[in-house]
Amino acid sequence: MNIMDFNVKKLAADAGTFLSRAVQFTEEKLGQAEKTELDAHLENLLSKAECTKIWTEKIMKQTEVLLQPNPNARIEEFVYEKLDRKAPSRINNPELLGQYMIDAGTEFGPGTAYGNALIKCGETQKRIGTADRELIQTSALNFLTPLRNFIEGDYKTIAKERKLLQNKRLDLDAAKTRLKKAKAAETRASQLNSARLEGDNIMIWAEEVTKSEQELRITQSEFDRQAEITRLLLEGISSTHAHHLRCLNDFVEAQMTYYAQCYQYMLDLQKQLGSFPSNYHSNNNQTAVAPVPSASSNVICSSALTSTSSLVITSPSNLTDLKECGGSRRARVLYDYDAANSTELSLLADEVITVFSVVGMDSDWLMGERGNQKGRVPITYLELLN
């Protein structure tokens, strides 16, 4: 029974406190009550924390979209995370495309130009898919997890203490209001002409003033203590920024590694495709009269259409003349080329080199010369000059 009485009294006290705060908050909004303003430093810290929370959430969500564009996959990963279970491994888009290319190349025949190219492209796509998977894992561990820990951990603690500070401020302002009303009532009572009324009312309101002053001291102390706790937590935002900066560096490094890998994979693939011999058997095993058009040939054709009359496209007749005369010609490099071995010459886009033919050399290659440097160069990277 005593426990029940205690619970009822506590419930009534809590309800009274809640009602008092609600009244104070409403009167403040209506401009009918004064409001204790926080000091400027604390207000700045609160603003900085709120700004940090908002932008951290935006950056975190958009990074998740960048790493996993499929919204259904993100939802599935979120559910598994909340269930504290590992999400099933799924094949990503580059890996799936790579597998399709490999299967198609195998079907068309690895001995054909198109089939061989598809297989090589597929293998490269699968390597890119693996690099993409590593980027997601590294970024999730070193970047997304710290951001999420701040939102779900540190900032929740800050928000809780901030709410307590708001309640303590409302209690303080409610106490100030009660004291102000008690003093006003005591003043009015002292001005009454009736001695009986004066004695009774002055005594009552004097006690109320004393009680209100004591309550004000208590609420002021609690408010000051909570303000100090909140301030200490908020000052940790600067440390949070420093930590997030380190995480951002890790994310940039992971992206740099990923893009460098992709670039190298595609560069290697370009070399492999550029070194294909021109005379492949077609898919129906009949002799092909022309190779499959490539991106390189498209670049050459486009360049020829927009070039001046002094530039001549590397056509079969020009190459034949060059091979037959046994002389040398100047040629402009269309785009960069990295030598695959010591017999080849690395090229830079737009540079001009000297080229000549060597008896017995593959029809897709010429000898290039730049100063004292000499080596094989693919003709698809060149544009002969008059």
Side-chain angles (χ1 to χ4, degrees):
M1 188 66 179
N2 291 335
I3 295 177
M4 291 183 63
D5 289 342
F6 175 77
N7 290 338
V8 170
K9 290 180 180 179
K10 185 176 184 303
L11 182 62
D14 291 343
T17 301
F18 176 79
L19 180 60
S20 174
R21 291 170 179 169
V23 170
Q24 178 66 29
F25 183 80
T26 302
E27 290 181 348
E28 287 177 359
K29 289 297 182 181
L30 297 175
Q32 298 174 354
E34 295 182 2
K35 176 182 176 181
T36 299
E37 299 294 340
L38 303 177
D39 65 81
H41 177 61
L42 187 56
E43 287 284 5
N44 288 335
L45 290 176
L46 287 169
S47 177
K48 184 178 181 180
E50 183 66 19
C51 181
T52 301
K53 180 252 186 182
I54 291 173
W55 284 111
T56 299
E57 282 184 332
K58 289 184 177 181
I59 292 172
M60 182 180 69
K61 290 179 180 178
Q62 193 57 38
T63 303
E64 290 174 343
V65 172
L66 173 68
L67 297 176
Q68 177 52 269
N70 187 340
N72 294 329
R74 291 200 304 274
I75 293 174
E76 182 183 5
E77 290 171 358
F78 175 79
V79 171
Y80 274 99
E81 182 181 348
K82 291 303 178 182
L83 295 176
D84 197 20
R85 295 176 58 186
K86 185 178 180 181
S89 179
R90 68 172 63 85
I91 188 170
N92 57 32
N93 291 330
E95 290 173 331
L96 184 59
L97 174 60
Q99 191 58 54
Y100 285 165
M101 286 182 169
I102 291 173
D103 292 344
T106 303
E107 182 77 16
F108 297 150
T112 65
Y114 187 39
N116 195 354
L118 277 172
I119 291 175
K120 291 185 180 299
C121 288
E123 292 170 348
T124 299
Q125 291 295 332
K126 294 188 77 171
R127 284 195 289 269
I128 290 176
T130 301
D132 183 68
R133 192 183 300 277
E134 292 173 355
L135 171 65
I136 293 175
Q137 293 173 348
T138 303
S139 301
L141 179 63
N142 297 334
F143 187 60
L144 289 177
T145 297
L147 297 187
R148 188 176 293 108
N149 288 342
F150 167 73
I151 296 297
E152 297 180 355
D154 295 348
Y155 189 79
K156 277 190 174 181
T157 302
I158 290 174
K160 178 182 177 182
E161 296 300 329
R162 183 177 183 176
K163 184 177 180 181
L164 285 175
L165 178 63
Q166 171 76 349
N167 290 338
K168 296 300 181 183
R169 186 195 63 75
L170 290 172
D171 292 343
L172 173 62
D173 288 339
K176 288 180 179 179
T177 301
R178 282 193 291 272
L179 177 59
K180 185 178 180 180
K181 290 180 179 180
K183 285 184 176 180
E186 183 185 31
T187 300
R188 287 196 303 270
S190 64
Q191 295 173 351
L192 293 176
N193 294 326
S194 172
R196 186 182 65 81
L197 291 176
E198 181 178 323
D200 292 343
N201 283 341
I202 288 178
M203 178 119 7
I204 292 173
W205 288 112
E207 291 177 357
E208 186 65 25
V209 168
T210 301
K211 180 180 178 183
S212 297
E213 288 176 342
Q214 182 180 5
E215 183 182 1
L216 178 60
R217 287 193 294 271
I218 294 173
T219 54
Q220 182 70 60
S221 175
E222 291 179 348
F223 171 77
D224 293 340
R225 178 176 176 275
Q226 186 59 39
E228 181 65 15
I229 292 173
T230 306
R231 182 185 65 80
L232 291 174
L233 282 173
L234 291 172
E235 287 178 346
I237 291 294
S238 297
S239 298
T240 298
H241 283 191
H243 178 53
H244 287 181
L245 174 59
R246 293 192 294 271
C247 297
L248 181 61
N249 287 330
D250 291 340
F251 178 55
V252 171
E253 185 176 347
Q255 284 186 304
M256 182 183 67
T257 301
Y258 168 72
Y259 291 122
Q261 287 177 324
C262 292
Y263 174 76
Q264 188 60 50
Y265 293 153
M266 297 309 296
L267 200 62
D268 294 341
L269 176 62
Q270 186 185 53
K271 290 179 183 178
Q272 294 176 34
L273 296 181
S275 64
F276 281 177
S278 59
N279 294 324
Y280 260 101
H281 289 298
S282 64
N283 292 341
N284 57 6
N285 293 326
Q286 296 178 355
T287 303
V289 295
V292 178
S294 63
S296 302
S297 61
N298 291 337
V299 171
I300 296 174
C301 293
S302 174
S303 174
L305 290 174
T306 58
S307 62
T308 63
S309 59
S310 63
L311 298 178
V312 180
I313 188 171
T314 311
S315 64
S317 60
N318 289 330
L319 291 173
T320 302
D321 295 340
L322 179 62
K323 292 177 181 294
E324 290 178 354
C325 70
S328 62
R329 291 279 294 277
R330 303 278 285 172
R332 183 175 70 86
V333 178
L334 294 174
Y335 45 91
D336 294 350
Y337 176 76
D338 289 338
N341 52 54
S342 60
T343 66
E344 298 179 8
L345 181 66
S346 294
L347 304 174
L348 294 176
D350 294 326
E351 72 170 324
V352 177
I353 64 172
T354 301
V355 295
F356 54 94
S357 177
V358 175
V359 177
M361 180 177 288
D362 190 296
S363 60
D364 287 335
W365 296 80
L366 290 172
M367 287 299 294
E369 190 173 59
R370 183 202 304 113
N372 296 328
Q373 297 178 324
K374 184 183 297 185
R376 297 191 312 147
V377 293
I379 62 172
T380 54
Y381 284 61
L382 303 174
E383 188 175 64
L384 294 181
L385 305 176
N386 284 333

